[in-house]
Amino acid sequence: MRITDPTDEAIRAAATIIRGGGLVAFPTETVYGLGADALNPIACARIFEAKNRPRFDPLIVHIAQIDQLDDLCTAVDAMARNLAERFWPGPLTLVLGKSDLVPEIVTAGLDTVAVRMPAHAVASRLLEGADTPIAAPSANPFGYISPTTAQHVDEQLGERVDMILDGGQCPVGVESSIVDLTAGRPVLLRAGGVSVEDIEAVVGSVEVSAASPERVLAPGQLRNHYSPRTRLVILASHHSCAPVNERAGLLAFRTPADAEHFSLVEVLSPAGDVREAAANLFSCLHRLDRAGLEIIYAEPVPESGLGRAIMDRLRRAARD
Ligand code: TXA
Ligand code: MG
């Protein structure tokens, strides 16, 4: 059985797979990651193959202890330390200058590296057991909806993974926020599990990087990232449409009054809480995408706190 409960024995087996150059999918507080030994370039190449991921898209390196930053990065300044101390372990990724220890394939040839210390207990135990940093993108085929359960990983990558550690549903549900610290000022490359408001409370103001097709810094910035296969349209406001199409689904923020107009309704948060909505986002999208619908309508959510990350994912999922 590829999907395994995270017993001590399973963690030891998973750590042995990582040490041997294999691939282990594991839960983090954000989404499931597809992990390999970050210091082993051949193991990291397997990640790109398994995901059909373009080689220009660099990987995040996961660590167990803050002081590993000094091995992987050059010039860890006060701002980096403040952010790490405030938000780690947790859903924040820092981009810093890379040390020679980090293989080129991990950073796709960039001279910077993205690092984070995850908060999920299974991820921490695996990192401790493997005793090496673990490079891990989200465990989905490139461009598709990120996995928030072990079953999502199994459905999407199945045989390509040596082992899937099952930690249940990811509590945060959207990927980490990525902050680039290499420009002398903090730049947000991806909205995610730590809100911009919380980051700004530590570093003052944060520049929000605009996606640029010419220079994609974080391919999470690619327009069609996180896409379901079914067409997705964001409604202008709550219930601005009564669909004529019989096979229309609704991704609702709160419990809707007019559910009968849709063949499937998924509710992100019955009480309208953006944190709960983020935790449910990708599971709801997976279910809608599997339902054989012609179109998925998505309600907008308030764009504060984690609502910003949710709207970012929805805009990218909405194809032109
Ligand atoms: O929450 C997360 O961050 C999850 C879990 C597994 O940790 N990981 C994740 O990885 O979302 P991935 O590969 O799906 O997204 C990582 C993003 C990509 O858009 C990549 O381009 C960006 O991080 N990235 C990695 N290294 C970078 C660098 N040196 N400079 C700029 N962006 C970088
Ligand atoms: Mg991803």
Side-chain angles (χ1 to χ4, degrees), residues 85-301:
E85 271 158 28
R86 169 68 182 80
F87 295 112
W88 284 358
L92 177 72
T93 295
L94 298 178
V95 174
L96 291 159
K98 114 185 210 330
S99 78
D100 293 340
L101 193 64
V102 184
E104 295 268 314
I105 188 167
V106 170
T107 63
L110 297 174
D111 53 11
T112 59
V113 61
V115 183
R116 97 174 181 97
M117 179 174 161
H120 198 290
V122 174
S124 312
R125 287 162 62 211
L126 177 62
L127 283 160
E128 294 283 358
D131 196 26
T132 182
I134 294 181
S138 50
N140 51 295
F142 185 72
Y144 193 59
I145 308 166
S146 298
T148 51
T149 65
Q151 287 70 30
H152 292 159
V153 180
D154 195 32
E155 283 156 21
Q156 295 177 29
L157 295 177
E159 314 253 301
R160 300 177 186 197
V161 185
D162 297 312
M163 186 172 185
I164 302 172
L165 289 169
D166 189 351
Q169 177 158 348
C170 300
V172 176
V174 288
E175 294 85 349
S176 59
S177 303
I178 305 181
V179 176
D180 183 352
L181 295 173
T182 60
R185 60 187 191 287
V187 180
L188 184 79
L189 299 183
R190 179 173 74 185
V194 176
S195 72
V196 177
E197 294 88 333
D198 286 350
I199 296 168
E200 290 193 326
V202 176
V203 297
S205 77
V206 171
E207 183 184 324
V208 178
S209 155
S212 139
E214 294 81 50
R215 184 152 181 267
V216 177
L217 273 174
Q221 296 176 330
L222 289 171
R223 276 188 66 79
N224 277 4
H225 227 66
Y226 313 106
S227 296
R229 297 191 176 93
T230 317
R231 192 158 84 91
L232 183 143
V233 170
I234 301 174
L235 299 173
S237 64
H238 302 270
H239 312 302
S240 57
C241 86
V244 279
N245 192 317
E246 277 180 12
R247 287 193 292 134
L250 177 68
L251 181 67
F253 177 43
R254 301 185 162 82
T255 308
D258 55 352
E260 69 280 4
H261 293 314
F262 300 89
S263 40
L264 177 60
V265 175
E266 288 287 340
V267 179
L268 289 174
S269 167
D273 170 48
V274 283
R275 224 167 246 289
E276 184 182 25
N280 290 326
L281 175 67
F282 290 134
S283 281
C284 290
L285 279 175
H286 273 110
R287 283 194 292 272
L288 286 161
D289 203 25
R290 277 197 301 254
L293 301 168
E294 248 164 53
I295 187 161
I296 301 167
Y297 291 103
E299 283 182 354
V301 309

